[in-house]
Amino acid sequence: LSDAIRLKYPMIVRRKMISLPNPVEVATSVVNIGVDKENYTLLSVGRLVEQKDHATLIRAFAKIAKDFPNWQLKIVGEGILRDYLKYLASSLGVEAKVTLVGVTPNIEFEYKSAEIFVISSRYEAFGLVTAEAMSHGLPVVGFADCPGTNELIQTYVTGLLVEPGSNRVCSLAIALSNLMNNPQLRLRLGLAGREAINGHFSPTNVCDKWQYLIESFSKKD
């Protein structure tokens, strides 16, 4: 799915491999970031498992929640860490502002209802939900050391890549706070991200790459 994944294979294998991304359906509607609202949403989508590191996200949100009383954190997904994450939010005093949605049949509604998309994962093969959020015009935040995320986001161009440093939680909290405080930046990143994703990962673009690959090998025969 990406060069980062291909490079993990032994040389004898990866020299015969070609990376091709998943296609991302072009969203028909764009999030209206510039509108003033009574309540705002940080959205995260992913299985509730250790790899997705929602615990870091909840801890980071808890650090800044009092500064942003009209913001909530919504996590869409299901998994074995649900009970632990609910306990963590409660122990940090933000249980009323953190919602674990579970699985939803209408993920487009969640994208359209949010202001910021956050992917706290430590590793992604291909950040499909991140790409989907970008296609909807959402500004996205992820970690710079996360493969599958750092290949989709150009920091301060199409989103924010957070350098984890020595304290992953504090680094994420600072980045989120900066973006939550700046609607103009959210709008700029969201629109640029949508343009980038729809340009590089649209079904038409990815299918053209597959066609070129197949035709180039068929000519060798």
Side-chain angles (χ1 to χ4, degrees):
L1 289 175
S2 70
D3 285 334
I5 297 174
R6 185 177 64 85
L7 291 174
K8 292 182 180 294
Y9 285 81
M11 175 62 77
I12 194 171
V13 177
R14 70 170 180 258
R15 68 183 182 183
K16 300 179 181 180
M17 300 173 70
I18 295 173
S19 60
L20 288 171
N22 282 327
V24 179
E25 184 176 356
V26 177
T28 56
S29 59
V30 182
V31 177
N32 199 343
I33 299 294
V35 174
D36 289 332
K37 299 180 179 180
E38 291 185 6
N39 297 291
Y40 299 84
T41 299
L42 290 171
L43 175 68
S44 186
V45 179
R47 292 173 295 120
L48 308 183
V49 295
E50 188 173 354
Q51 171 200 335
K52 305 297 182 180
D53 200 12
H54 291 111
T56 286
L57 175 54
I58 292 173
R59 289 189 175 99
F61 178 69
K63 281 186 171 293
I64 59 176
K66 289 183 180 180
D67 297 328
F68 298 93
N70 57 342
W71 284 77
Q72 66 166 332
L73 171 61
K74 184 181 286 189
I75 301 174
V76 177
E78 196 54 82
I80 59 174
L81 294 182
R82 165 177 277 275
D83 289 343
Y84 169 70
L85 294 174
K86 288 182 65 175
Y87 164 78
L88 179 62
S90 178
S91 67
L92 294 171
V94 290
E95 66 275 16
K97 302 188 69 174
V98 176
T99 304
L100 301 179
V101 177
V103 176
T104 175
N106 190 1
I107 190 61
E108 184 173 358
F109 171 80
E110 301 297 346
Y111 290 133
K112 290 166 61 176
S113 302
E115 280 67 49
I116 298 174
F117 183 83
V118 192
I119 186 79
S120 51
S121 299
R122 294 180 177 273
Y123 173 80
E124 292 285 337
F126 176 79
L128 182 59
V129 294
T130 303
E132 288 176 349
M134 293 171 74
S135 182
H136 280 82
L138 274 174
V140 296
V141 181
F143 281 105
D145 63 348
C146 176
T149 295
N150 57 24
E151 293 175 277
L152 290 175
I153 300 172
Q154 286 182 276
T155 194
Y156 283 102
V157 178
T158 60
L160 293 184
L161 286 175
V162 181
E163 294 292 345
S166 60
N167 191 320
R168 196 174 182 87
V169 172
C170 286
S171 297
L172 181 57
I174 292 170
L176 290 177
S177 180
N178 289 340
L179 197 53
M180 292 158 74
N181 263 322
N182 194 332
Q184 291 77 24
L185 180 60
R186 296 201 301 270
L187 178 61
R188 178 172 67 80
L189 296 179
L191 292 177
R194 174 178 167 82
E195 183 177 351
I197 289 298
N198 292 349
H200 295 294
F201 300 101
S202 68
T204 299
N205 189 289
V206 174
C207 285
D208 285 347
K209 292 179 179 179
W210 272 102
Q211 182 174 350
Y212 175 80
L213 175 65
I214 293 170
E215 288 178 350
S216 64
F217 275 92
S218 64
K219 291 176 182 177
K220 293 180 180 181
D221 296 333

